[in-house]
Amino acid sequence: MPPMKHLAALLALVAAGFGHAPAQAQDEAQRPPNIVVILADDLGWGDIGANGARLIATPNIDRLAAEGIRLTSFYAGANVCTPSRAALLTGRYPIRSGMQHVVFPHSDFGLPPEEVTIAELLKDAGYKTGMVGKWHLGHRDEFWPTAQGFDEFYGVPYSNDMQPFDLYRHKTVVQSPAEQRELTDRYAAAASDFIARHRAAPFFLYYAETFPHLPLAVPEAAAGQSGAGLYGDVVEHLDEGIGRIMAALEANGVADNTLVILTSDNGPWFEGDQGAFRGRKGGTHEGGFRVPFIARWPGRIAPGGVSGEMAMGIDLLPTIAALAGAQVPQDRTIDGRNIGKVLMERAPSPHEVLFFFDGNDIVAVRDRRFRLVLSTFYRTFPVPFERFGTALLFDLERDPMERFSYLREHPEARDRLMAHVAAMRKEVAGLRKEPASPFPPDDPTIPKGPVLSHH
Ligand code: MG
């Protein structure tokens, strides 16, 4: 350590020991950033102005992008809700935590308590942790957000098309059924309140919007505003909620020391815009996985950045852990990588390849240039190309829309990517499990909805 720096550190120590004001300034400068992760539900890559939307106005999201960096090749950790959220919070491909399938109200499984979430890591690092919005990782005591590292929870247990659909504070129902038109406003108010109460401590806020997942709903005043029907109104209202959260960060003087990340849990469903990519939610192509990603952190992330480096939801845990000075779990495989340098130094992706799972199966894999698709859907049935001795090899540089296969031209790319697939398949071979049926069982003794022991 250079002598001057050494002296400064010593002085700071002395000052801290006597509780003088300079220590406060020192703490302020070295304090880890607050973290706000905004996760929209089924928001398409092309649904935001920053990614080219013309029929939907998202000024608040666009402002985040203008003041931060936008990753154009960012992927959700899965093509549907539950596994994508498990991937985001644990840094692991969801099959590793047994969360490769969607949780339904009659399901009795959830994110295993032994999994380590971002909230648990940050709580141990001295953060106040709060979650607002849609959980969808199990609705029994041991799976509930407050058992998975969150000090506070305000939101709903799963998707808004599932029944019963109640709004909770911690473990108490505060509205039954939840009034869907009010949800975004209530979420934004709860998030603003959390920020105000914890402005003095480093905090982690996981804000998981219910929308634009179906059914769509907006307050009367927000209806008929967009050029994209009710869907567009819902996205515009969601954007307004994000504006309120940003205003709360500013009003509480913490906007500059807060890393705000915005993304989505999978591609768009029956409405919405997946951008110039093939496929949608639930599919195996780019449109099912590639989602908006913006990160804003003034002074640390240069404004107006755009990067095409590939990254995935699994990267949030290692990235956030590094910023908070927390160590990622060493006793298990973490598939995500720290993308801090991608965001702050415009570094290349730390990933050699990314895998795309549909439930138990690896359905695609990509490297910098190529995306090998091993399975797709035609009408209602899966088309396992491999069983026919083939695959589709897309060149994302030449044809990001995945229209033409270059298997004949690049057999070496196929072989290279298949070697990765073979290795990963071996790793997760014992972890397959049957998906739950979306239909409630006839058995009336099987509870539907949350089962919580105390309030
Ligand atoms: Mg979703």
Side-chain angles (χ1 to χ4, degrees), residues 40-43 79-82 85 134 159 213 264-267 281:
D41 194 353
D42 298 0
L43 183 71
N79 54 4
V80 286
C81 280
T82 294
R85 285 151 207 269
K134 169 181 166 176
S159 301
H213 192 288
S264 177
D265 70 333
N266 46 249
K281 172 181 179 178

Side-chain angles (χ1 to χ4, degrees), residues 86-416:
L88 185 148
L89 286 176
T90 66
R92 288 146 59 81
Y93 287 114
I95 193 169
R96 294 195 195 273
S97 58
M99 297 303 286
Q100 63 267 51
H101 303 302
V102 171
V103 169
F104 293 100
H106 52 274
S107 302
D108 61 2
F109 72 99
L111 186 68
E114 57 271 24
E115 289 295 321
V116 177
T117 66
I118 297 176
E120 283 166 328
L121 279 184
L122 294 187
K123 195 176 158 83
D124 287 348
Y127 277 64
K128 297 290 179 191
T129 55
M131 174 180 177
V132 172
K134 169 181 166 176
W135 175 239
H136 213 178
L137 290 172
H139 40 263
R140 298 186 174 218
D141 288 318
E142 66 270 34
F143 310 131
W144 203 248
T146 47
Q148 305 268 15
F150 291 101
D151 300 324
E152 303 179 21
F153 171 60
Y154 179 86
V156 298
Y158 35 64
S159 301
N160 61 337
D161 60 344
M162 297 177 176
Q163 299 294 330
F165 189 64
D166 295 335
L167 180 63
Y168 288 79
R169 179 181 299 282
H170 306 313
K171 288 174 130 182
T172 307
V173 174
V174 293
Q175 196 182 40
S176 179
E179 174 49 74
Q180 302 227 10
R181 283 174 303 183
E182 297 171 1
L183 269 185
T184 292
D185 288 335
R186 284 177 175 269
Y187 288 170
S192 303
D193 175 59
F194 176 85
I195 291 164
R197 282 186 289 111
H198 299 300
R199 65 184 162 202
F203 62 78
F204 169 53
L205 172 64
Y206 173 44
Y207 183 86
E209 250 288 354
T210 277
F211 298 109
H213 192 288
L214 302 182
L216 300 167
V218 282
E220 208 60 45
Q225 303 295 309
S226 83
L230 178 54
Y231 181 90
D233 292 350
V234 166
V235 174
E236 291 192 357
H237 192 54
L238 172 157
D239 178 78
E240 221 176 284
I242 292 168
R244 285 169 65 185
I245 293 170
M246 293 311 296
L249 292 174
E250 275 152 31
N252 287 286
V254 294
D256 286 352
N257 193 35
T258 300
L259 167 65
V260 178
I261 288 172
L262 173 129
T263 187
S264 177
D265 70 333
N266 46 249
W269 205 7
F270 301 109
E271 293 186 67
D273 182 354
Q274 72 273 51
F277 305 108
R278 176 174 175 177
R280 308 175 74 83
K281 172 181 179 178
T284 68
H285 292 283
E286 288 278 283
F289 294 87
R290 205 189 275 226
V291 286
F293 181 94
I294 296 166
R296 175 196 188 267
W297 187 13
R300 301 297 298 271
I301 294 175
V306 182
S307 169
E309 294 298 323
M310 64 177 180
M312 197 178 248
I314 49 176
D315 297 332
L316 263 57
L317 178 134
T319 305
I320 290 170
L323 295 175
Q327 205 188 30
V328 300
Q330 301 295 305
D331 61 344
R332 64 199 69 198
T333 302
I334 300 293
D335 298 294
R337 297 284 176 267
N338 179 358
I339 57 166
K341 286 187 173 170
V342 175
L343 304 178
M344 292 183 276
E345 299 168 27
R346 309 295 298 275
S349 173
H351 291 283
E352 191 180 345
V353 295
L354 286 171
F355 295 101
F356 302 86
F357 281 84
D358 178 62
N360 294 313
D361 302 307
I362 299 173
V363 288
V365 56
R366 78 158 282 190
D367 63 11
R368 276 194 88 71
R369 177 173 172 189
F370 293 103
R371 189 167 192 271
L372 186 71
V373 174
L374 301 171
S375 184
T376 189
F377 294 94
Y378 171 66
R379 291 190 164 195
T380 59
F381 49 88
V383 182
F385 292 122
E386 276 184 290
R387 220 175 290 166
F388 312 126
T390 187
L392 297 174
L393 181 71
F394 297 109
D395 182 343
L396 295 175
E397 280 175 11
R398 203 170 181 183
D399 174 35
M401 290 174 73
E402 298 179 293
R403 294 164 302 183
F404 313 111
S405 177
Y406 295 92
L407 204 52
R408 185 189 65 191
E409 286 75 8
H410 293 285
E412 80 295 343
R414 188 257 328 265
D415 293 347
R416 187 175 69 237

